[in-house]
Amino acid sequence: MLGYNTLVVLAGCALLGLACGTVGAFALLRGRALMADAVGHAALPGVVLAAMLVASLGGNPRALPPLLAGAVIAGVLGVLSVQALTRGGRIREDAAIAIVLSSFYALGVALLSHVQTIPQAAQAGLGKFILGQAAAMRAEDALWAGGIAAFSVLLCLILFQRLRAACFDPDHARVMGLSVARTDLALLGLIVIVAVAGLQAVGLVLVVALLILPAATARLLTHRLPVLLLVSASLGALAGALGAAASAFESEWPTGAAVVLAGAIFFTLALLLAPERGLLPEALRRIHRRIAATESHFLRAAWEAQEAAGAGPGTAGDRWTPIAALAAARGWSEAYAARLALWLGLRGLVARAEGEIHLTPRGAAAARRAVRAHRAVELHLLGLGATDIAGADRLADLVEHGLPAEMATRLLAEPSALPQSPHALGPGAFSSQADTLGDSENATRQNFIVRPLRGREADGH
Amino acid sequence: MTALDFLRLDLPALLAAILACGTCGLLGSFLVLRRDSLLGDALSHAVLPGIIAGFALTGARAGLPMLLGALAAALLAVVAISLVRRVARLESGAATGAVFTSFFALGLMLMEATGARSVDLDLDCVLFGQLESVVWLEAQGFGSLLDPTALAALPRQLFLLAAVATVLAGLVALLWRPLHLLCFDPDYAAAIGLPARGLELALNLMVAAAAVAAFEAVGSILVVAMLVCPAAAIRLLTDSYRAQVLGGAALGAALGALGYALAGPLPAAFGQAFSLNAAGVIGTLGGLAVAGAMLLRQLRIAPPKPAVISG
């Protein structure tokens, strides 16, 4: 089913995608990715003029090398025009790119319409450069494209150190005696080469996507440059091969669109699912954080209720606490508190009976951690004199959940002991905040009466 | 060339060129001033799937569903670009490039999938523009210009273009001061309570409307030329907001008329059987206009003006 020609074209497109993915990664990191858009569009007049020239010399206007040479010359002219336009500082690079790509392309369109009126059939097959048509590629064309692609990948590997330095730390590169300007020039050259090589398969309108999409996908997945290059190159190759295959089986499909859609699907998946940056994991993490915060609020309220009821230091106490009291302490509705109690019961952190709860040993341990974190932050804020007591309580509610246990330990003066709550100590007594809970039963009890914020008077039995 | 030929073939196309290029030139200034030129590129590509969807859903080549579909696609593209920027932490150019190429590719595929390509929408008209197909065959003479029934048979692209041009010109006049502030001092605009984000969105939708109306006449990529080139050329020559915006529109319209004339009718009038794609010539002229403005700027021996922009 797969003839020699198809196989060669597939391999050529895959190699092309590989090259675009590699060069695209550097182009993206250096902020030059859209230059490929300018180059691709600028190539059109070059291709058309080359075809006209070859035809008028009596050559075969379908031969690829002269067309690609024309495309390279026009592409370089396009790059130079962008640089000339931005030199004054009055026209920004984005405007310059838009001007060059659109006016060069317009010239190409005008020339193309002229070629179509002269009877040499020089225009034959030129249209495929616009949207790409891998199905019309001959093995010879694919070999050319593949060869150019392989060359540019090789060049990337040779220049790896310089490119990396220019992308990540241009100043350092300068100090090391590497000319960033020359590296940039080399990068622009590589962009021109891969964009031109990709013209026939992907088309000039969409060739830029083959540089951006795999590289952007890879960036979502990794921070390390070698891995990024590898992922970007393989995704590019995969997209190229898939697009070419689609075009081989369904020859009406514009290959460029198929290639780009494949790349766009990879990118969308990464955007949604990338472990660190993806939207879905991010949302899950946010939900998880919110649940964890609510859980620790509940557990702390339960612990503090035990303290208020006179349980000894460092123990969970053995009294049952009404859920309604916890709800009142946190300002939750009773139904919500009851649902939380059910959830924590399922997780084995509390035991429930008749509208009352009791911390299990595991629950007590988690509650103790939450209380420690809360009080560590409170005491730290108070020690800084950053806020008053009620404010410290509120602020600690917000930041305590991200606090690792060892950080809580560092914030506390006595690492192993659980400090008493500062609420009862009142203003002017901040120096004794770090007291342990030993003699604080009265203070804590008092706290629940004095404290204005959440009306814990209802607490205790 | 007879007067009748002019009426039937050239007048409608000329009008379409002037309207499309003038509208794009008007809005282009805002893109260039806001350093958002690539948005023109992005929107002119991104509207394609919306247009195709408009076709596919209504099955008709009518103006309104097409316009609505295109606006929806443009809105989606703008949202997608900002989302990609935030999540993938790409610079805005790369994010724009990633989004609009995907949209355009989707549009091309939809074109195949819905069969719109063969039946309703010519791919060439997306890629190259088909000014030459805007013809008014019902014209019987200059009297037809006053004849309601003949006027009703004017090509529908003209009606869409005229309507969009009128609405957009009205909106620009209405939002003259807020847009001025948005271009030069968005922070101040936000500080005095202007709905800056709403304005940005409105501007984006206006560009999308101009892009889709001009789409059929000059093609998607030449919409970019007309959005950016006249505005950039004027930007090189003036610091005045009024001159920038109105000059952009005027230069756009002039380039449209000149380009169309050079592409066929003018050589034909001198007996040359020579015809080029009008949209291509217009876009080329756009590039030349920028190059000319650049030269003019360098040649002009003027004392350095303070870079103060006045309304």
Side-chain angles (χ1 to χ4, degrees):
Chain A
M1 184 160 95
L2 289 177
Y4 167 73
N5 199 64
T6 317
L7 275 180
V8 173
V9 168
L10 270 183
C13 287
L15 204 53
L16 192 69
L18 187 111
C20 285
T22 314
V23 175
F26 287 115
L28 191 77
L29 291 172
R30 191 81 185 105
R32 293 282 194 285
L34 275 178
M35 212 49 133
D37 207 12
V39 172
H41 285 84
L44 184 62
V47 170
V48 180
L49 278 176
M52 284 164 75
L53 196 67
V54 170
S56 71
L57 292 177
N60 172 16
R62 297 186 60 129
L64 199 54
L67 299 186
L68 291 190
V72 166
I73 293 171
V76 168
L77 275 179
V79 170
L80 293 178
S81 311
V82 170
Q83 289 182 336
L85 281 171
T86 47
R87 196 161 296 141
R90 189 100 169 161
I91 292 183
R92 315 274 303 189
E93 195 179 31
D94 61 330
I97 287 178
I99 291 167
V100 166
L101 79 85
S102 59
S103 55
F104 272 65
Y105 179 81
L107 181 64
V109 167
L111 287 173
L112 200 59
S113 67
H114 176 61
V115 171
Q116 277 159 356
T117 62
I118 55 178
Q120 284 166 318
Q123 87 281 11
L126 287 184
K128 73 184 175 217
F129 283 97
I130 293 173
L131 287 181
Q133 205 181 353
M137 274 171 96
R138 292 163 301 165
E140 188 194 333
D141 304 338
L143 286 177
W144 268 102
I148 296 173
F151 170 71
S152 60
V153 173
L154 203 66
L155 218 56
C156 266
L157 292 181
I158 292 172
L159 294 174
F160 179 74
Q161 293 296 345
R162 285 173 160 276
L163 286 169
R164 177 167 70 179
C167 287
F168 287 106
D169 200 347
D171 294 331
H172 180 67
R174 249 172 240 123
V175 174
M176 296 289 287
L178 298 171
S179 160
V180 175
R182 244 187 293 165
T183 311
D184 273 343
L185 212 60
L187 183 59
L188 283 177
L190 281 170
I191 292 175
V192 171
I193 290 175
V194 292
V196 167
L199 284 187
Q200 208 186 8
V202 187
L204 56 87
V205 181
L206 292 174
V207 71
V208 60
L210 201 49
L211 274 91
I212 295 181
L213 286 172
T217 313
R219 263 200 73 185
L220 278 165
L221 298 174
T222 178
H223 296 290
R224 298 193 47 237
L225 182 62
V227 184
L228 189 145
L229 280 176
L230 208 66
V231 173
S232 175
S234 3
L235 286 178
L238 197 58
L242 282 176
S247 162
F249 292 122
E250 202 61 61
S251 63
E252 274 299 296
W253 284 12
T255 318
V259 170
V260 171
L261 269 190
I265 290 170
F266 296 151
F267 181 59
T268 313
L269 286 179
L271 210 58
L272 291 177
L273 301 177
E276 244 178 87
R277 294 183 175 178
L279 284 174
L280 219 59
E282 191 191 289
L284 285 179
R285 273 198 302 273
R286 195 178 304 140
I287 292 171
H288 185 252
R289 271 203 302 272
R290 188 165 298 168
I291 291 176
T294 312
E295 277 178 9
S296 82
H297 283 151
F298 186 96
L299 292 173
R300 182 159 58 82
W303 180 279
E304 286 175 348
Q306 297 282 357
E307 280 183 353
T315 70
D318 50 5
R319 291 176 176 80
W320 289 83
T321 311
I323 292 175
L326 297 181
R330 295 292 323 173
W332 290 329
S333 77
E334 278 185 38
Y336 181 63
R339 280 203 301 279
L340 281 175
L342 178 64
W343 163 248
L344 289 169
L346 288 175
R347 288 198 55 198
L349 297 174
V350 301
R352 296 181 307 129
E354 294 165 11
E356 300 197 331
I357 59 121
H358 181 280
L359 290 170
T360 65
R362 266 179 60 219
R368 188 173 189 276
R369 277 197 301 277
V371 173
R372 266 176 72 84
H374 182 76
R375 290 187 187 163
V377 175
E378 264 182 338
L379 294 173
H380 179 65
L381 289 173
L382 289 171
L384 290 174
T387 172
D388 62 1
I389 291 176
D393 188 27
R394 274 195 302 271
L395 282 171
D397 259 3
L398 294 175
V399 299
E400 70 199 22
H401 309 294
L403 200 70
E406 56 277 22
M407 179 64 84
T409 305
R410 273 173 53 195
L411 285 178
L412 291 170
E414 280 185 61
S416 59
L418 183 67
Q420 72 184 66
S421 172
H423 305 308
L425 300 177
F430 292 159
S431 54
S432 60
Q433 290 150 9
D435 286 355
T436 51
L437 203 58
D439 59 346
S440 68
E441 283 178 34
N442 288 331
T444 314
R445 225 186 269 275
Q446 192 190 346
N447 156 37
F448 284 106
I449 300 163
V450 170
R451 188 171 177 216
L453 193 63
R454 284 197 188 106
R456 290 199 188 178
E457 293 90 335
D459 233 343
H461 307 286
Chain B
M1 187 180 74
T2 68
L4 193 57
D5 276 347
F6 174 77
L7 262 184
R8 283 182 170 175
L9 303 179
D10 290 333
L11 184 68
L14 193 62
L15 277 178
I18 291 174
L19 282 172
C21 298
T23 316
C24 288
L26 178 71
L27 295 180
S29 290
F30 300 112
L31 292 185
V32 170
L33 287 175
R34 281 172 41 75
R35 298 166 189 175
D36 220 1
S37 309
L38 285 169
L39 198 70
D41 197 3
L43 291 182
S44 70
H45 285 84
V47 292
L48 184 63
I51 292 177
I52 308 286
F55 274 142
L57 289 180
T58 61
R61 218 181 136 143
L64 199 61
M66 210 173 80
L67 192 63
L68 291 180
L71 289 182
L75 202 63
L76 213 60
V78 170
V79 172
I81 288 172
S82 72
L83 190 75
V84 166
R85 265 176 79 168
R86 185 176 68 76
V87 177
R89 287 176 224 179
L90 293 178
E91 38 119 8
S92 77
T96 310
V99 170
F100 84 75
T101 48
S102 304
F103 270 61
F104 195 68
L106 185 69
L108 290 175
M109 281 308 210
L110 276 179
M111 217 174 202
E112 288 296 337
T114 60
R117 177 176 179 178
S118 46
V119 185
D120 288 309
L121 189 70
D122 193 357
L123 192 55
D124 282 0
C125 118
V126 176
L127 295 173
F128 307 129
Q130 300 272 297
L131 265 179
E132 293 81 357
S133 69
V134 184
V135 292
W136 186 29
L137 295 177
E138 279 71 15
Q140 302 299 328
F142 282 100
S144 298
L145 282 176
L146 302 173
D147 177 7
T149 51
L151 280 179
L154 271 170
R156 67 180 173 82
Q157 294 102 315
L158 263 188
F159 288 116
L160 181 64
L161 271 172
V164 168
T166 316
V167 170
L168 292 184
L171 278 177
V172 168
L174 203 68
L175 298 175
W176 186 257
R177 298 287 306 166
L179 284 175
H180 186 182
L181 275 179
L182 189 70
C183 288
F184 293 107
D185 203 344
D187 294 334
Y188 178 64
I192 62 168
L194 279 178
R197 302 197 67 165
L199 270 178
E200 273 173 30
L201 191 64
L203 196 58
N204 291 345
L205 287 181
M206 284 158 76
V207 172
V212 68
F215 201 82
E216 274 190 274
V218 294
S220 79
I221 290 158
L222 299 172
V223 167
V224 182
M226 280 303 108
L227 276 171
V228 183
C229 290
I234 299 289
R235 181 81 188 94
L236 287 167
L237 300 176
T238 181
D239 281 330
S240 142
Y241 174 62
R242 181 185 301 273
Q244 171 73 53
V245 176
L246 300 181
L251 183 60
L255 288 176
L258 184 64
Y260 181 77
L262 281 179
L266 217 57
F270 290 102
Q272 300 285 315
F274 183 77
S275 118
L276 295 173
N277 180 309
V281 177
I282 295 172
T284 312
L285 284 182
L288 290 178
V290 177
M294 200 113 193
L295 277 180
L296 212 62
R297 184 177 166 78
Q298 275 166 6
L299 290 180
R300 198 165 57 172
I301 309 161
K305 281 192 215 161
V308 175
I309 310 261
S310 63

